[in-house]
Amino acid sequence: MSGPYTSFVAIGDSFTEGLNDPGADGRFRGWADRVAERLAALTPGFRYANLAVRGRLLDQIVERQVPLAIDLKPDLVSLCAGGNDLLRPGADPDRMAKTLAGAVRELRAAGAEVLLFTGVDPRDTPLMRRARGRTAVFYLHIRSIADVYGCHLVDQWSMQSLRDWRAWSEDRLHMNAEGHRMVAAKVCEVLGVPTEDRWRYTWPPRAHVDRRVRLREDRLWVREHLLPWVGRRLRGTSSGDGVEPKRPGLTAFEAGPPADAPRP
């Protein structure tokens, strides 16, 4: 089909839910909502659902969200999953890829176009850089899956503009509004959807930050973000416990406010 798209279902975890890109209605906005805004502006009657929930693992997304997406019969489904799995010791990227491939096969058989994502290179991310090897293997699998099943692919690994911390929120795991804006621009480019936003640009130089200031920031991050994350892992709980999808049904979506001003 390759557009114009009349319906879009987004499934996944916190990245697709939109953390930490606050919207005007008090819920998170995120790249998926931003893309839906562009599609709604171009296509009368456009419908959108977002089933993503923060903290979800790949198996949970495949078991709970993929069947719902198939039942909704959309033109386009985005599927980004596995990031939470890769944070855990012992994650098997080969097994994960097999699970993902099965989900993609089902979505394609149902007639939907599928949008897949690689992640950002984690070498600058404190929690994930030790897992860079298995992360790279999983993302190579995703590229292969996209080729085999004829999916659209958003390669965030090659998006050097996302390697600047100004695209990320204080927890160093979730993008801020600027990061989500860049991803939305990249998605639009991959889908052939016109947008004035750009994802490829060079950040202006940053002011020098004293080493002592950086150490204080690191200690604050450990206390406010890392230790709570470790605590949830030890307790077997998730940040998504009790959280419901923000747009569980495929409903009419009106274009929101004008897109953020394009970056130079």
Side-chain angles (χ1 to χ4, degrees), residues 23-117:
D25 60 358
R27 297 183 297 182
F28 289 116
R29 187 183 182 193
W31 69 265
D33 284 18
R34 290 168 179 266
V35 170
E37 288 165 10
R38 286 300 305 142
L39 295 173
L42 296 168
T43 307
F46 173 79
R47 296 176 301 148
Y48 169 54
N50 191 317
L51 309 179
V53 176
R54 69 198 73 172
R56 291 295 184 258
L57 301 172
L58 174 60
D59 286 346
Q60 295 171 328
I61 292 167
V62 169
E63 291 170 5
R64 303 174 190 178
Q65 296 180 25
V66 169
L68 293 175
I70 291 173
D71 288 343
L72 292 172
K73 298 180 172 59
D75 298 334
L76 175 68
V77 176
S78 68
L79 171 55
C80 184
N84 291 313
D85 299 75
L86 293 168
L87 285 169
R88 287 161 166 74
D92 182 349
D94 297 324
R95 186 202 67 79
M96 291 170 59
K98 185 175 182 179
T99 299
L100 182 68
V104 170
R105 185 165 56 248
E106 292 180 8
L107 290 166
R108 294 292 283 143
E113 287 195 27
V114 177
L115 177 70
L116 298 177
F117 294 77

Side-chain angles (χ1 to χ4, degrees), residues 187-205:
V187 170
C188 286
E189 178 182 285
V190 168
L191 295 178
V193 175
T195 178
E196 295 181 357
D197 259 335
R198 292 187 296 169
W199 62 267
R200 187 186 285 108
Y201 64 86
T202 302
W203 290 88

Side-chain angles (χ1 to χ4, degrees), residues 170-192:
E170 292 181 354
D171 66 9
R172 305 182 184 181
L173 281 176
H174 299 100
M175 295 176 190
N176 58 22
E178 184 61 17
H180 281 283
R181 186 203 63 76
M182 286 191 286
V183 171
K186 177 69 170 180
V187 170
C188 286
E189 178 182 285
V190 168
L191 295 178

Side-chain angles (χ1 to χ4, degrees), residues 147-177:
D147 287 342
V148 169
Y149 294 102
C151 304
H152 303 284
L153 178 67
V154 176
D155 184 9
Q156 295 184 92
W157 192 286
S158 66
M159 294 176 67
Q160 293 300 306
S161 50
L162 286 179
R163 291 196 53 224
D164 192 292
W165 282 115
R166 283 170 285 188
W168 297 81
S169 58
E170 292 181 354
D171 66 9
R172 305 182 184 181
L173 281 176
H174 299 100
M175 295 176 190
N176 58 22

